[in-house]
């Protein structure tokens, strides 16, 4: 079997070739088995990567948002098969943008309503606004108009406005990475009566002791932030322009569901252990065990799974906001069926395995993130260390 020294050697190898620095932690049954930090949080300052180094999560925000959403589901605030228009009436008469063989477009009425489940499972028909499609272009226009009209606006305002955009397909017919979890964030704010950040803080972060996680910079968070680097083909690292940091500032109000949180490795390990141990961490019950099981069940149909085929997720299906392992052989993975989690654009990664009560968190801040190279090696070694 592997030893934790093998993981240390692997992470040391990583930082020799880029990223500038990385952090990794592993826990089981609520106890930390391994925690290591290597390289630099900032190369120019020679500031070492450390336990208190803060990382931009980007899409690793999704796991937290969908957990929060499902906490409200199990309180009876909504059902997964509810039409979205019951909460956002703007979504009652949706349209679909159809691309014809000659490249032209025409707009028609959607054949199916958008359900709450479609937002969780990325089957709602809305991509991200930078997706390069007609629908994505229309989303970008909506955002520009909102910024011109309001300057700063919240997630509910944006979700309502997106109802005017013709979808890329009828809800529920395909899987498409995109805006779904931002709709979930809007739903959280609507049904809880709290801002997304307030709900997360009161219901998840404070009970779990996640004091270095949130949307807004406070205290010395910004000073502890890992620098985001661009890596060229030769391995040279240059500082990348701040991306989304405007939404971390104290005067920001936008709180997205698909990205926008920051955290540390040790903080994120706490929520991952809570989810790996039936919804309980340090005696705090956050969410029900059966609700976690529903989250990590594959919800995609065979037709939708055809869209979920990029190499990084081979052998996985998709649940309620998380990838979920359905075939270890296809994944070339020594993990467990039902292991779940996600990744984030700068290189953040979480593995949550309730069958082993085990979780793994790995973070770096680099573009390209080389996630398949880094994450799958860390996953292989970490599982190899389990007795």
């Amino acid at each position: 079997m592997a030893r934790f020294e093998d993981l240390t050697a692997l992470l040391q190898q990583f930082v020799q070739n880029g990223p500038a620095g990385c952090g990794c932690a592993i826990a089981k049954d609520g106890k930390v088995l391994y925690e290591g930090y290597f390289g630099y949080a900032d190369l120019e300052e020679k500031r070492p990567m450390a336990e208190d180094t803060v990382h931009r999560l980007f899409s690793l925000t999704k796991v937290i948002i969908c957990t929060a959403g499902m906490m409200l589901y199990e309180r009876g605030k909504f059902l997964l098969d509810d039409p979205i228009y019951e909460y956002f009436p703007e979504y009652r008469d949706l349209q679909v943008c159809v691309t014809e063989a000659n490249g032209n477009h025409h707009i028609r009425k959607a054949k199916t309503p958008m359900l709450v489940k479609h937002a969780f499972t990325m089957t709602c028909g809305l991509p991200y606004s930078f997706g390069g499609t007609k629908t994505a272009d229309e989303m970008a226009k909506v955002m520009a108009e909102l910024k011109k009209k309001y300057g700063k606006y919240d997630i509910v305002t944006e979700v309502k406005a997106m109802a005017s955009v013709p979808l890329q397909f009828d809800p529920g017919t395909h899987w498409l990475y995109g805006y779904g979890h931002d709709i979930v964030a809007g739903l959280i704010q609507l049904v809880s009566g709290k801002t997304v950040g307030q709900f997360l803080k009161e219901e998840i972060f404070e009970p779990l002791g996640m004091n270095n996680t949130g949307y807004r910079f406070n205290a010395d968070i910004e000073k502890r932030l890992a620098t985001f680097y661009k890596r060229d083909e030769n391995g040279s690292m240059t500082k990348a322009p701040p991306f989304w940091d405007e939404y971390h500032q104290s005067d920001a109000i936008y709180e997205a569901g698909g990205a926008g949180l920051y955290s540390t490795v040790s903080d994120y390990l706490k929520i991952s252990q809570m989810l790996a141990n039936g919804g309980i961490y340090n005696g705090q019950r956050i969410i029900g065990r059966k609700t976690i099981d529903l989250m990590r069940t594959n919800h995609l149909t065979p037709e939708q799974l055809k869209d979920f085929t990029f190499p990084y997720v081979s052998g996985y299906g998709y649940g309620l906001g998380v990838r979920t392992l359905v075939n270890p052989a296809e994944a070339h993975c020594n993990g467990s069926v039902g292991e779940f989690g996600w990744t984030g654009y700068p290189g953040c990664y979480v593995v949550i395995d309730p069958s082993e009560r085990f979780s793994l968190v790995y973070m770096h801040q680099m573009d390209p993130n080389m996630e398949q190279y880094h994450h799958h090696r860390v996953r292989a070694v970490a599982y190899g260390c389990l007795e």
Side-chain angles (χ1 to χ4, degrees):
M1 65 183 289
R3 298 181 177 88
F4 288 121
E5 301 95 278
D6 297 313
L7 183 55
T8 293
L10 180 69
L11 299 174
Q12 289 173 334
Q13 175 196 322
F14 285 176
V15 300
Q16 290 173 3
N17 304 309
C22 65
C24 182
I26 297 169
K28 179 176 168 65
D29 295 314
K31 298 178 180 178
V32 178
L33 303 181
Y34 177 89
E35 190 169 6
Y37 301 92
F38 305 90
Y40 293 100
D42 188 284
L43 287 168
E44 290 74 18
E45 297 175 3
K46 299 298 181 185
R47 175 162 51 92
M49 188 70 69
E51 182 182 359
D52 66 349
T53 299
V54 177
H55 297 255
R56 304 165 186 84
L57 296 180
F58 280 80
S59 287
L60 215 56
T61 299
K62 292 174 167 66
V63 178
I64 296 176
I65 286 292
C66 290
T67 298
M70 292 307 293
M71 290 166 65
L72 290 165
Y73 158 82
E74 67 178 14
R75 297 176 190 179
K77 297 295 186 179
F78 61 82
L79 295 176
L80 292 172
D81 54 354
D82 284 343
I84 287 288
Y85 63 68
E86 291 187 4
Y87 305 92
F88 295 101
E90 296 84 357
Y91 284 73
R92 183 173 292 276
D93 297 310
L94 293 173
Q95 294 182 315
V96 173
C97 179
V98 179
T99 303
E100 300 166 2
N102 61 7
N104 292 335
H105 305 279
H106 72 266
I107 307 299
R108 63 163 172 81
K109 185 177 180 180
K111 297 177 181 178
T112 52
M114 185 187 296
L115 306 181
V116 170
K117 179 177 178 176
H118 295 149
F120 275 93
T121 58
M122 295 286 194
T123 58
C124 65
L126 286 172
Y128 277 121
S129 60
F130 46 81
T133 64
K134 182 69 173 175
T135 298
D137 291 345
E138 291 300 315
M139 293 175 71
K141 288 180 183 178
V142 167
M143 291 177 177
E145 290 167 359
L146 288 173
K147 191 169 185 178
K148 183 178 180 180
K149 182 177 180 180
Y150 298 110
K152 296 175 183 176
Y153 56 85
D154 69 359
I155 189 64
V156 169
T157 300
E158 184 180 90
V159 168
K160 289 179 177 180
M162 285 301 170
S164 66
V165 174
L167 306 176
Q168 205 156 311
F169 49 78
D170 290 298
T173 58
H174 291 279
W175 185 89
L176 176 65
Y177 197 57
Y179 193 73
H181 297 163
D182 296 296
I183 297 175
V184 173
L187 184 63
I188 289 169
Q189 184 159 312
L190 199 71
V191 303
S192 72
K194 303 175 181 179
T195 66
V196 184
Q198 181 184 8
F199 184 84
L200 295 181
K201 181 180 179 181
E202 294 177 3
E203 302 280 352
I204 298 177
F205 302 155
E206 288 182 344
L208 293 181
M210 296 173 65
N211 301 319
N212 293 297
T213 305
Y215 283 107
R216 308 282 174 258
F217 289 144
N218 58 70
D220 65 342
I221 291 288
E222 190 167 11
K223 293 180 181 178
R224 294 191 276 119
L225 191 67
T227 299
F228 190 20
Y229 287 96
K230 295 278 284 188
R231 181 184 187 275
D232 66 19
E233 293 180 357
N234 298 319
S236 297
M237 308 286 284
T238 56
K239 287 187 176 183
F243 182 36
W244 267 58
D245 282 9
E246 63 189 281
Y247 298 116
H248 294 313
Q249 303 305 319
S250 59
D251 60 346
I253 59 174
Y254 185 70
E255 296 172 339
L261 289 172
Y262 59 77
S263 190
T264 62
V265 170
S266 56
D267 256 21
Y268 210 99
L269 191 67
K270 295 173 183 177
I271 189 170
S272 72
Q273 270 294 283
M274 180 274 288
L275 292 167
N277 286 277
I280 300 173
Y281 180 78
N282 277 353
Q284 292 283 334
R285 162 71 71 181
I286 304 297
I287 190 171
R289 176 177 60 86
K290 297 299 292 182
T291 306
I292 298 170
D293 288 344
L294 180 61
M295 285 181 67
R296 67 189 184 104
T297 297
N298 172 52
H299 286 256
L300 300 188
T301 66
E303 190 65 25
Q304 293 164 347
L305 278 169
K306 293 177 182 177
D307 303 314
F308 193 67
T309 56
F310 46 102
Y312 184 71
V313 292
S314 296
Y316 286 87
Y318 196 74
L320 300 174
V322 293
R323 64 164 199 277
T324 182
L325 185 59
V326 294
N327 190 324
E330 287 185 10
H332 311 291
C333 169
N334 53 349
S336 311
V337 171
E339 170 262 295
F340 69 104
W342 199 240
T343 183
Y345 162 57
C348 302
Y349 176 59
V350 65
V351 170
I352 304 164
D353 187 341
S355 67
E356 296 284 349
R357 302 174 305 283
F358 154 89
S359 64
L360 153 71
V361 176
Y362 170 87
M363 293 183 185
H364 67 233
Q365 303 276 285
M366 184 179 74
D367 178 29
N369 60 32
M370 299 170 62
E371 58 188 7
Q372 190 165 346
Y373 179 90
H374 294 102
H375 297 170
H376 289 180
R377 280 170 169 76
V378 169
R379 180 185 66 185
V381 178
Y383 268 110
C385 291
L386 294 183
E387 297 182 357

